[in-house]
Amino acid sequence: MTAGKTLAASLVALSLTASAAGPALAEDAVKIGFITTLSTTAGYLGEDVRDGFLLAVKEGGGKLGYVPVEVLVEDDNLKPATTRQIAEKMMQRDGVRLFTGMIFSNAVLAAVPAILEKNALFVGLNGAPSQYAGAGCHKNYFQTAWQNDSLHEATGQLATNLRYKRAVVLAANYPAGKDAIAGFKRFFKGEVTEEIYTRLDQTDFSAEIAKVRSLKPDVVFQAHSGGQGIAFLKQYAQAGLKDEIPMVLSEPSLEQRTVAATGPAAAGLLGSTHWNTDFDNPVNQKFVKAFTETYGRGPSVYASQGYDAALLIGAALRKTEGKLEPEAFRGAMLSSVVKLTRGSFRFGPNQHPVQAWYQVKAVAGSDGQVALKTGELIFGSHGDSHAEACKL
């Protein structure tokens, strides 16, 4: 077992046994089903959301909102069918009524129907497919990170602000990839000359990069996360296109661990984000320090999303005294005012975030390390384009 897994296991154990200052409002621990992706080249995404979430539990002495919690963590191996199977098992065997942790939208789409059919609760902290943001929204479904389209809408607006006229767009061929391109196109005022979809397990992008070269756009937008995103950035730079055809990126493709892994290949790239390590609000400063000290590495945006989701769940549990009756939990989630690492936040009418988005740039420091620096505001208070179709 690696040091990181050992630490994570100890934090899960802590969530079962430790007590915090303040009143315990529930006799038994609330079980939280945390199903995420911990293996494959995308495993670090799940690792970070898990560790951010468990940090909040650790800081509460095994509690969220003064309510004892038991966090049941399982790896879905990037297989949607496995995600659903784990959710069904947790409900039947463990009595879990509250779920979170899922990274990929295809996993959400596979498992959430089973969760909602049992009148259980789902609090998303990453993948947020459009199917649950509009007419298909549900009172037991909450999203605390963003809606899939919205983070790419910010990048489309960024490309418009930079006055690019012709774009080639690429994304993995699954629900979030399609939402990514739709979101980018919605706010990009130029012409999208080509849409290219790649396999979700693809790591060689030489054919796609050659096509980009032949099309000669003003800008490239590509939406690949985890190991895929790292591979694309490295191969794009190796092909000599980085300085020839600019690229704009959304948050999952230009986040802290991607930048650290790609180094010089990322330097100079521009993107959009709703959170960064350099946000100077007190909650974020505390979080960055505590995460780094606890895990021996700096946090990524995924870690911040895990931490923020835990804070929001904790606020709701405190109001309901640990009870998971859906209507009471929903009222508590929507009415809680919580200071998060990202700063300004509220739920929109579809129970998805309304928040600010910023430009970021990958900058090489004097030590040669590349880090993300927050720049201009892109959107001050932005929800998503599907909310008006939600009739909760």
Side-chain angles (χ1 to χ4, degrees), residues 134-326:
C137 63
H138 193 282
K139 63 182 181 179
N140 289 11
Y141 179 104
F142 306 85
Q143 176 55 239
T144 64
W146 23 257
Q147 191 277 318
N148 284 352
D149 297 42
S150 64
L151 71 166
H152 309 291
E153 289 171 354
T155 315
Q157 185 61 54
L158 172 61
T160 295
N161 293 349
L162 295 171
R163 300 183 179 180
Y164 291 122
K165 302 300 183 185
R166 297 172 62 255
V168 169
V169 298
L170 308 93
N173 190 14
Y174 79 119
K178 294 175 182 178
D179 284 348
I181 287 179
F184 179 85
K185 290 169 63 178
R186 192 171 292 120
F187 280 79
F188 177 57
K189 303 307 180 185
E191 176 190 4
V192 173
T193 60
E194 189 82 16
E195 294 181 24
I196 302 172
Y197 289 96
T198 59
R199 300 190 318 275
L200 189 56
D201 63 349
Q202 188 169 331
T203 56
D204 181 356
F205 299 99
S206 56
E208 289 78 10
I209 290 171
K211 189 168 187 179
V212 169
R213 188 192 299 275
S214 69
L215 292 169
K216 299 180 180 179
D218 296 336
V219 69
V220 167
F221 165 74
Q222 60 92 9
H224 298 90
S225 59
Q228 273 200 315
I230 292 167
F232 193 99
L233 291 184
K234 286 183 175 180
Q235 292 168 32
Y236 196 81
Q238 289 165 359
L241 284 187
K242 179 188 163 191
D243 297 323
E244 182 180 334
I245 303 174
M247 187 186 300
V248 290
L249 299 164
S250 299
E251 187 175 80
S253 304
L254 193 68
E255 44 84 22
Q256 291 71 23
R257 290 185 70 169
T258 296
V259 167
T262 53
L269 293 176
L270 295 176
S272 60
T273 194
H274 78 299
W275 174 86
N276 196 12
T277 54
D278 63 7
F279 282 16
D280 62 2
N281 68 75
V283 176
N284 192 53
Q285 291 175 332
K286 175 189 173 187
F287 162 71
V288 172
K289 183 176 186 291
F291 189 95
T292 304
E293 291 176 349
T294 301
Y295 298 106
R297 68 179 190 276
S300 70
V301 67
Y302 297 100
S304 78
Q305 289 170 186
Y307 189 82
D308 282 354
L311 296 182
L312 288 163
I313 289 171
L317 290 177
R318 185 170 187 175
K319 283 191 172 186
T320 66
E321 299 185 348
K323 297 179 178 64
L324 294 180
E325 192 282 319

Side-chain angles (χ1 to χ4, degrees), residues 62-130:
K63 300 179 181 182
L64 291 176
Y66 297 118
V67 174
V69 296
E70 178 182 353
V71 185
L72 306 178
V73 180
E74 290 207 32
D75 178 16
D76 64 14
N77 293 297
L78 197 56
K79 296 178 180 178
T82 300
T83 313
R84 184 182 178 103
Q85 290 166 5
I86 295 171
E88 290 174 337
K89 177 188 68 176
M90 285 182 171
M91 287 188 286
Q92 294 168 7
R93 184 192 68 189
D94 305 307
V96 173
R97 306 295 298 164
L98 173 60
F99 289 87
T100 190
M102 297 173 200
I103 294 295
F104 290 93
S105 293
N106 52 357
V108 172
L109 291 171
V112 164
I115 294 168
L116 299 182
E117 284 168 9
K118 297 295 186 181
N119 201 29
L121 299 156
F122 178 78
V123 179
L125 47 61
N126 196 70
S130 55

Side-chain angles (χ1 to χ4, degrees), residues 254 266-271 276 359-364 370-375:
L254 193 68
L269 293 176
L270 295 176
N276 196 12
Q359 177 180 315
V360 289
K361 183 176 183 178
V363 177
V370 179
L372 294 176
K373 302 297 182 185
T374 303

